[in-house]
Amino acid sequence: MKLEIIKTGMDGDGIAYDHHKPVFVKNALPGEIVDVKIIHESNGHKTGTVNNYLKISEDRSFDICRYSKYCGGCSIDHAKYDLQLKIKTDLLKESLRKYAGIIEDIDIVPSPEVNHYRNSFKLPLCMNNKVELVTALYEEQTNHFVYFDECLNHEEILEKCRIEFLDIAGRYHLKAYDRYDKKGLRYLYMRHLSNGIQVCIVTGEETLDKKFVYDIAHIDKVISIYQSINTSRSSMNIFGRKMIHLSGSKTLRFEVNDIKANLSIRSFYQMNTLQAKDLYGHVIDLMDDNQDTVVEAYCGVGIMSLMASKKAKEVTGIEIIEDAIINAEKNAKLNNINNVRFVCGDSGETIKRLFKKKNIDTLIVDPPRGGLDEMMLETIIRSKIRNIIYVSCNDVTLAKNIEVLSKYYHMESIKAFDMFPNTTHVETVCVLSKLSEAKHHISVQVDMDELDLYAAESKATYEEIQEWVQEKYGFHVTHLNIAKTKRKCGIIERQNYNLPKSENSRSPETPKEKEEAIIDAFLHFKMM
């Protein structure tokens, strides 16, 4: 099947259309013409693989990882970096348009490093041919292991440390975890910051050989070693409840934008060290000076809270992970910062209590990929917070959250940071201001005869309505279907656009299911 790739999807697949049905094609770029083999078909879409490239994009990169097509971790590494940035911003803009009705140009800050940028990894350990202990990745959408010799995303110093670890483990004849006898090495975690490396070996119920630990501790740059016991079969977290400090420092010391910090083994930190500095600096630059109260939800080890201390009389950081709060409190003392306090608890519940005592000038949120939950959204709305700086790693949940908040907040600015080159993921910083106080919000009085009666139509083009219906319902609607439904719903059509040539002209009625889908699209685009 010969198809032209039109755009890139959220998972990095190229998207073409066959009789108006989307076809998702791996390793294909916009503008390419490909011969496609269909491997799966449903009512809404098809999935295919490339048999042959009939036209290759000038933006295709051939300098890619040889394991990329198996592990799926780098979904767009076959695109040159300029195209990667365009794909990311296009996906972000599409999410904002689709879920929040916002059309906005977006700047993106490129990553200082396109390869070897990740400062940490969490990798399964398994046996290669039942002989050799190796690190692996899970093949995309499976639980099958993909063995690899190198990862082009990991910092080079981490790759060197990973290889040395495996060599030492091999000398001690250590085996991968066996879920039946609950013994063996299960995962390897490493993180590098400020020239030091944290190591955590996740195992079954066993004691690691002291000589083995001694040898790992003498790998160059390793300053901290932990063992985590995890025998759970269902846990999504690689770390178990039991964490044993085996050697070296208990925390990892580093510095970002003049803030000295300690990081425990469980605490989160951004994976792209250089880009994190720019992102955090941008967040603080967005804040007004001389504020009374600033709150950071999901604060982790408190980096942004401590940086915000210069902008406010009082800053409160909230985090549900106890280890991170312990780090944050120590970090405040380390930097001699006295106007920041940290609370361990649920962000929504804690903000509710805080707002009963005082107004909040700025709320900083950096939630997990699931975004803000219903309780947090309700808390924000009820708390009448003046400004929100939303840091997001998920375009879709950001847009859905903005849509909920749009009745109460105006989006002042948005900027993207490429924290994850070679993937479709991006970190986004968005500023929302309370509508009554938004800098660009003006109340006006308009007479009814001054209204543009075609304003509703400008909410979405016919092509946008067609695309939305196709994606949600899996079938095609024509311009005539849309025009007839508009007239039926009282949405005024432009003169002579899709009108019958005469009053006696007959055109087929729009099927009920298509009419209902089009009405759903009108509601989505706020045309009704």
Side-chain angles (χ1 to χ4, degrees):
M1 178 184 294
K2 179 181 175 182
L3 295 172
E4 181 179 0
I5 304 301
I6 305 300
K7 60 183 181 179
T8 303
M10 295 295 293
D11 294 326
D13 296 344
I15 299 178
Y17 289 90
D18 177 34
H19 295 90
H20 307 293
K21 180 177 283 191
V23 182
F24 296 90
V25 185
K26 287 194 177 303
N27 199 27
L29 296 174
E32 293 186 329
I33 298 175
V34 290
D35 177 32
V36 176
K37 176 184 177 182
I38 301 300
I39 58 175
H40 176 76
E41 184 171 357
S42 67
N43 291 332
H45 71 280
K46 300 178 182 179
T47 302
T49 58
V50 177
N51 282 330
N52 190 27
Y53 293 92
L54 306 176
K55 178 185 175 183
I56 295 177
S57 170
E58 294 179 355
D59 292 315
R60 175 170 286 278
S61 173
F62 297 94
D63 183 22
I64 62 174
C65 172
R66 63 183 182 275
Y67 302 104
S68 178
K69 63 181 179 180
Y70 303 112
C71 82
C74 296
S75 56
I76 56 171
D77 66 340
H78 54 285
K80 292 180 180 177
Y81 191 54
D82 284 347
L83 178 59
Q84 288 189 27
L85 296 177
K86 183 179 185 304
I87 288 171
K88 290 168 188 275
T89 52
D90 284 350
L91 289 171
L92 176 56
K93 287 192 285 187
E94 174 63 13
S95 292
L96 288 170
R97 182 198 65 78
K98 183 175 181 180
Y99 296 106
I102 294 172
I103 299 174
E104 188 87 14
D105 288 331
I106 298 171
D107 291 330
I108 185 168
V109 179
S111 173
E113 300 287 348
V114 178
N115 294 315
H116 301 300
Y117 64 88
R118 283 185 65 124
N119 60 30
S120 66
F121 62 69
K122 301 175 181 177
L123 296 172
L125 289 160
C126 55
M127 302 304 294
N128 187 10
N129 296 323
K130 299 182 180 180
V131 175
E132 180 186 16
L133 184 73
V134 295
T135 49
L137 293 165
Y138 288 110
E139 187 177 352
E140 189 176 14
Q141 296 181 347
T142 75
N143 59 357
H144 302 143
F145 288 124
V146 176
Y147 312 117
F148 66 94
D149 295 326
E150 64 173 344
C151 178
L152 296 180
N153 283 344
H154 297 163
E155 288 184 5
E156 291 177 297
I157 192 171
L158 281 181
E159 278 295 278
K160 182 180 177 182
C161 186
R162 178 184 64 83
I163 293 168
E164 289 190 50
F165 174 91
L166 292 174
D167 286 343
I168 294 169
R171 293 203 301 268
Y172 284 86
H173 307 291
L174 297 178
K175 303 294 183 182
Y177 180 75
D178 186 314
R179 65 178 182 176
Y180 296 106
D181 65 16
K182 297 185 178 181
K183 291 186 181 297
L185 277 57
R186 193 170 185 181
Y187 297 99
L188 175 63
Y189 172 74
M190 290 185 176
R191 174 161 53 191
H192 169 244
L193 287 170
S194 296
N195 221 27
I197 296 176
Q198 275 179 328
V199 176
C200 184
I201 307 160
V202 182
T203 71
E205 296 170 343
E206 62 204 277
T207 301
L208 291 173
D209 189 309
K210 290 182 179 180
K211 292 181 179 179
F212 167 70
V213 174
Y214 176 86
D215 288 347
I216 299 300
H218 282 76
I219 296 175
D220 187 33
K221 308 300 183 185
V222 170
I223 65 168
S224 174
I225 303 176
Y226 279 84
Q227 178 186 4
S228 178
I229 308 296
N230 184 1
T231 58
S232 171
R233 296 182 65 174
S234 59
S235 174
M236 296 297 290
N237 191 342
I238 71 163
F239 297 138
R241 292 183 179 180
K242 189 175 181 181
M243 190 73 75
I244 306 166
H245 178 240
L246 298 178
S247 176
S249 173
K250 289 187 176 181
T251 59
L252 187 61
R253 175 74 63 90
F254 69 104
E255 186 171 331
V256 53
N257 297 350
D258 297 327
I259 296 295
K260 299 180 180 67
N262 287 295
L263 205 61
S264 71
I265 199 75
R266 290 183 187 271
S267 298
F268 169 79
Y269 188 69
Q270 294 285 357
M271 294 180 184
N272 189 327
T273 304
L274 294 175
Q275 189 73 312
K277 292 181 180 180
D278 289 339
L279 184 145
Y280 291 155
H282 178 66
V283 169
I284 302 307
D285 288 343
L286 290 169
M287 297 174 60
D288 293 331
D289 293 324
N290 302 316
Q291 298 185 73
D292 287 326
T293 304
V294 170
V295 174
E296 182 190 3
Y298 319 96
C299 72
V301 297
I303 303 297
M304 283 194 287
S305 294
L306 297 173
M307 291 174 65
S309 64
K310 297 178 181 178
K311 295 275 189 168
K313 293 178 182 177
E314 180 182 313
V315 180
T316 300
I318 308 167
E319 173 61 61
I320 202 164
I321 298 173
E322 187 177 0
D323 283 2
I325 287 295
I326 292 170
N327 283 164
E329 290 172 341
K330 290 181 178 179
N331 291 338
K333 292 179 180 178
L334 182 64
N335 290 276
N336 297 314
I337 294 174
N338 300 315
N339 64 329
V340 180
R341 71 184 184 104
F342 295 97
V343 178
C344 185
D346 177 79
S347 293
E349 290 290 344
T350 305
I351 290 171
K352 270 185 190 177
R353 294 196 301 270
L354 285 175
F355 189 73
K356 289 178 180 179
K357 299 177 181 178
K358 57 185 69 181
N359 292 332
I360 298 171
D361 296 311
T362 297
L363 172 66
I364 304 170
V365 293
D366 186 2
R369 289 191 61 78
L372 305 176
D373 60 26
E374 289 186 14
M375 176 183 288
M376 186 63 174
L377 289 168
E378 184 180 348
T379 298
I380 290 172
I381 292 166
R382 291 179 178 273
S383 299
K384 301 177 183 178
I385 295 162
R386 284 179 49 208
N387 300 298
I388 302 168
I389 302 176
Y390 193 144
V391 183
S392 171
C393 60
N394 187 325
D395 301 352
V396 173
T397 54
L398 170 67
K400 288 181 176 180
N401 287 166
I402 288 175
E403 196 278 332
V404 172
L405 294 170
S406 63
K407 296 176 183 178
Y408 311 93
Y409 289 86
H410 166 77
M411 192 175 81
E412 294 265 351
S413 69
I414 186 167
K415 193 169 190 174
F417 289 78
D418 185 17
M419 196 72 70
F420 318 101
N422 305 314
T423 77
T424 57
H425 302 301
V426 68
E427 203 85 6
T428 306
V429 180
C430 180
V431 179
L432 305 171
S433 293
K434 202 84 172 80
L435 272 175
S436 59
E437 300 172 7
K439 296 176 182 177
H440 305 302
H441 180 75
I442 303 172
S443 298
V444 295
Q445 184 174 355
V446 182
D447 292 334
M448 287 302 293
D449 58 3
E450 292 177 331
L451 289 174
D452 177 3
L453 295 179
Y454 303 133
E457 190 177 351
S458 69
K459 290 280 187 183
T461 65
Y462 279 63
E463 288 73 22
E464 287 173 330
I465 292 170
Q466 284 179 319
E467 183 180 346
W468 190 88
V469 170
Q470 181 73 62
E471 289 183 1
K472 182 168 182 179
Y473 289 92
F475 52 69
H476 177 70
V477 293
T478 66
H479 283 211
L480 184 58
N481 293 151
I482 298 170
K484 289 171 73 69
T485 307
K486 275 189 173 184
R487 289 198 296 275
K488 194 169 183 179
C489 294
I491 300 175
I492 298 174
E493 284 287 302
R494 291 189 178 93
Q495 188 174 2
N496 296 329
Y497 192 85
N498 276 332
L499 294 176
K501 292 180 181 178
S502 72
E503 288 295 322
N504 296 324
S505 295
R506 290 189 176 185
S507 59
E509 287 295 317
T510 303
K512 186 174 181 181
E513 64 170 352
K514 291 190 175 184
E515 183 177 278
E516 290 176 349
I518 293 167
I519 291 171
D520 193 14
F522 292 164
L523 293 168
H524 170 78
F525 289 110
K526 298 181 174 62
M527 297 169 66
M528 294 177 62

